[in-house]
């Protein structure tokens, strides 16, 4: 396949990878509908594409609202025709060390990264299945491969997304719908800009968009990048737990190092 089949509907397209994918596809002549919460940012993407690009239709959407998702899909198909390719790239990320974890934090991650993804994907899948053709790509993350310190909530939501994609792939394929998952490593986007730690092998949103678009021209289930980083994490999850946990152990806290021998942090706080 040399061309991505359109129309394409991208949910999570106002910034980052989704924005770059939308612009590249439109400039390649593929009609695109773009959704996110911010109408102003969506219109800015559409304006940026330029007069020679294919049509970009902004469709503001809160993907956590099931009724709004159904209405948005109707609007997209009325404007551009039946959706041939769906990309769900909306995401929520917050660094969360163990001592900051709350149930609400998990709910916040799952609401955007998992349940909203399901709501959008299943809405499109029903129509694609009825037509006997279509493609759904869910943007997951290498954080879903294995447990990583500080990413318990984010990684769990992405692991759940990948699990659903794996489960749907065989049955959807029988009905003519290809389900794919993209597993990026670190990508330079507004979502990662505040990370206070080194991000190995980080790539630009434009390069990530190129990898995603290349994956949309194949029938591969998983598109993962950058390759060196994703391979490393896949190897890590194969290690015995004692070795894996030894490698993942965070450095000692500064306040722990200052404790007298035999004193605990809680003991010190009480004094």
């Amino acid at each position: 396949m040399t061309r991505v089949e359109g129309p394409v509907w991208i949910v999570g397209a106002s910034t980052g990878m989704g924005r770059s994918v939308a612009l590249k596809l439109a400039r390649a002549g593929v009609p695109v509908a773009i959704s996110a919460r911010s109408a102003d940012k969506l219109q800015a993407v559409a304006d940026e594409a330029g007069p020679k690009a294919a049509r970009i239709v902004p469709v503001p959407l809160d993907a956590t609202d099931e009724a709004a998702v159904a209405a948005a899909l109707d609007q997209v198909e009325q404007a551009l025709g039946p959706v041939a390719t769906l990309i769900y790239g909306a995401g929520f990320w917050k660094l969360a060390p163990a001592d900051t974890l709350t149930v609400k934090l998990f709910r916040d991650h799952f609401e955007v990264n998992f349940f909203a993804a399901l709501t959008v994907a299943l809405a499109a899948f029903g129509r694609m299945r009825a037509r006997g053709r279509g493609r759904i790509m869910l943007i997951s993350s290498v954080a879903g491969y294995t447990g990583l310190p500080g990413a318990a909530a984010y990684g769990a939501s992405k692991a759940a997304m990948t699990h659903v994609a794996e489960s749907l792939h065989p049955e959807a394929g029988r009905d003519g719908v290809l389900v794919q998952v993209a597993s990026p490593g670190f990508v330079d986007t507004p979502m990662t800009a505040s990370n206070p730690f080194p991000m190995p092998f980080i790539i630009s949103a434009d390069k990530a968009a190129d990898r995603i678009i290349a994956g949309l021209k194949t029938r591969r289930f998983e598109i993962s990048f950058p390759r060196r980083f994703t391979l490393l994490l896949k190897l890590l999850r194969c290690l015995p737990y004692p070795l894996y946990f030894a490698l993942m152990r965070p450095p000692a806290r500064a306040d722990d190092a200052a404790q007298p021998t035999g004193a605990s942090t809680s003991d010190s706080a009480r004094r």
Side-chain angles (χ1 to χ4, degrees):
M1 183 186 299
T2 59
R3 180 183 171 90
V4 175
E5 186 175 0
V8 177
W9 184 25
I10 306 174
V11 178
S14 60
T15 62
M17 289 184 287
R19 171 187 168 279
S20 292
V21 171
L23 290 171
K24 287 175 181 288
L25 288 177
R27 288 166 179 166
V30 181
V32 180
I34 53 174
S35 291
R37 295 187 183 194
S38 171
D40 290 344
K41 289 181 179 179
L42 292 175
Q43 188 58 54
V45 175
D47 293 342
E48 187 178 345
K52 295 184 179 180
R55 188 178 181 192
I56 295 184
V57 177
V59 181
L61 171 66
D62 177 356
T64 65
D65 182 335
E66 191 168 354
V69 168
L73 181 53
D74 285 340
Q75 185 178 342
V76 170
E77 296 202 330
Q78 288 168 8
L80 297 177
V83 171
T85 302
L86 166 69
I87 303 172
Y88 185 88
F92 175 76
W93 150 254
K94 184 174 182 179
L95 180 65
D99 57 357
T100 68
L101 288 175
T102 63
V103 172
K104 181 182 183 303
L105 186 65
F106 276 85
R107 287 196 179 110
D108 290 343
H109 280 85
F110 270 80
E111 191 66 34
V112 177
N113 298 343
F114 182 67
F115 290 113
L118 278 184
T119 301
V120 174
L122 292 178
F125 175 65
R127 301 190 189 193
M128 291 176 177
R129 183 174 177 273
R131 295 192 291 264
R133 63 182 302 173
R135 180 187 298 256
I136 296 171
M137 177 181 280
L138 302 176
I139 309 297
S140 185
S141 169
V142 296
Y145 286 170
T146 189
L148 299 171
Y154 179 76
S157 67
K158 292 298 189 176
M161 173 191 278
T162 299
H163 183 98
V164 168
E166 290 171 346
S167 299
L168 287 178
H169 180 83
E171 291 183 282
R174 178 192 60 195
D175 296 329
V177 181
L178 176 63
V179 175
Q180 295 176 290
V181 65
S183 301
F186 291 113
V187 180
D188 187 8
T189 68
M191 195 168 75
T192 61
S194 61
N195 284 347
F197 51 81
M199 292 180 279
F201 306 109
I202 188 169
I203 64 173
S204 68
D206 275 352
K207 286 187 177 179
D210 289 337
R211 304 290 179 85
I212 289 169
I213 292 170
L216 291 171
K217 297 177 181 179
T218 74
R219 297 195 64 81
R220 295 201 313 271
F221 170 70
E222 186 190 37
I223 293 85
S224 61
F225 54 89
R227 290 290 178 84
R228 289 176 293 173
F229 190 48
T230 57
L231 178 60
L232 174 62
L233 288 178
K234 287 185 176 183
L235 290 173
L236 280 175
R237 71 180 180 183
C238 296
L239 295 176
Y241 276 129
L243 180 55
Y244 176 76
F245 290 141
L247 290 171
M248 291 294 106
R249 185 173 295 118
R253 301 172 187 266
D255 55 352
D256 290 341
Q259 298 302 316
T261 302
S264 69
T265 302
S266 57
D267 289 337
S268 176
R270 286 196 293 268
R271 285 201 291 270

